[in-house]
Amino acid sequence: KQEVTQIPAALSVPEGENLVLNCSFTDSAIYNLQWFRQDPGKGLTSLLLIQSSQREQTSGRLNASLDKSSGRSTLYIAASQPGDSATYLCAVWSGGSNYKLTFGKGTLLTVNP
Amino acid sequence: GAGVSQSPRYKVAKRGQDVALRCDPISGHVSLFWYQQALGQGPEFLTYFQNEAQLDKSGLPSDRFFAERPEGSVSTLKIQRTQQEDSAVYLCASNIDRGWSYEQYFGPGTRLTVT
């Protein structure tokens, strides 16, 4: 059974810092990995999707990497801003009968002005 | 363009009541998913439809939970005889095809509180 772990559970940083969020998964046989942002009381906003054949994806100040063989992904946020404060969720899409996303519990990020 | 919409956004139900939660996926999206998100947790899979066919309902926690998508577009998640442990945010997601590379797009969720 696929399990996804996110570290740290919570992170508080001053504005302007670069930071890294970590995600690990137990079954490396994935098709893709998706990073989401969730604001309080809101749904999920997709940030980046990395195919299993890719090593990284970039969007603006966000960069996500994937090491499928070791079961790890990182989300790098450059020059953090207070507006980045949210919960960040990592999810993997496994194959076969597991046609669904398996999520971690998320990292609650607070960026202080 | 229009995203995934869900209604109601908030629902308060007395223990034992039945509730129905609606999801309107993005037009043309073949696959539709329901997830349950408890407070402080990541979403957990409930069930999946491809068009009108429910292909996986392995995540439904009990036989009180029932989902349908009769015409392959709008879906309804019904919970009978609600219990306090059913309190959660129910998220609906859709993607365009069965292709593994496609992203899932999520609705805003329905927050269910059972008192």
Side-chain angles (χ1 to χ4, degrees):
Chain A
K1 178 187 172 186
Q2 180 73 267
E3 292 182 2
V4 179
T5 302
Q6 291 188 246
I7 294 173
L11 181 62
S12 181
V13 300
E15 183 177 2
E17 269 204 10
N18 302 324
L19 56 98
V20 174
L21 308 182
N22 297 290
C23 171
S24 61
F25 45 95
T26 54
D27 185 351
S28 61
I30 66 167
Y31 282 82
N32 63 44
L33 182 145
Q34 206 166 345
W35 281 94
F36 293 89
R37 169 185 174 137
Q38 187 172 35
D39 292 285
K42 306 287 187 183
L44 306 183
T45 301
S46 179
L47 297 173
L48 290 163
L49 181 146
I50 312 177
Q51 306 295 345
S52 62
S53 58
Q54 297 175 320
R55 299 285 290 184
E56 64 179 327
Q57 281 285 339
T58 298
S59 176
R61 294 182 294 107
L62 305 179
N63 176 277
S65 67
L66 173 64
D67 184 342
K68 196 175 113 166
S69 61
S70 68
R72 296 178 189 274
S73 176
T74 61
L75 178 67
Y76 175 82
I77 303 177
S80 58
Q81 302 171 357
D84 295 331
S85 298
T87 296
Y88 290 81
L89 290 156
C90 165
V92 297
W93 184 285
S94 304
S97 60
N98 289 320
Y99 193 72
K100 55 182 171 279
L101 287 172
T102 302
F103 284 85
K105 291 185 179 181
T107 294
L108 176 60
L109 173 65
T110 303
V111 181
N112 301 301
Chain B
V4 178
S5 62
Q6 294 185 245
S7 61
R9 291 293 315 280
Y10 304 92
K11 178 70 178 177
V12 178
K14 288 188 177 4
R15 186 169 172 264
Q17 281 185 334
D18 297 348
V19 298
L21 313 180
R22 176 187 169 106
C23 172
D24 284 84
I26 294 172
S27 178
H29 277 198
V30 170
S31 299
L32 184 146
F33 301 79
W34 285 98
Y35 294 85
Q36 180 190 58
Q37 186 176 22
L39 190 64
Q41 304 293 313
E44 297 214 353
F45 170 82
L46 293 177
T47 187
Y48 153 61
F49 291 85
Q50 187 177 30
N51 295 307
E52 68 278 3
Q54 188 175 21
L55 299 187
D56 187 349
K57 54 182 180 179
S58 62
L60 296 177
S62 79
D63 59 7
R64 297 185 294 103
F65 286 70
F66 172 76
E68 59 183 5
R69 194 187 185 196
E71 297 178 359
S73 55
V74 171
S75 177
T76 303
L77 176 67
K78 297 179 180 178
I79 309 173
Q80 297 177 325
R81 304 181 303 282
T82 52
Q83 303 294 315
Q84 283 194 317
E85 61 263 29
D86 300 335
S87 295
V89 175
Y90 291 85
L91 295 164
C92 176
S94 68
N95 66 282
I96 194 168
D97 202 357
R98 189 175 171 80
W100 302 114
S101 65
Y102 292 110
E103 292 180 59
Q104 286 200 9
Y105 296 87
F106 280 78
T110 294
R111 182 176 297 276
L112 173 64
T113 302
V114 181
T115 61

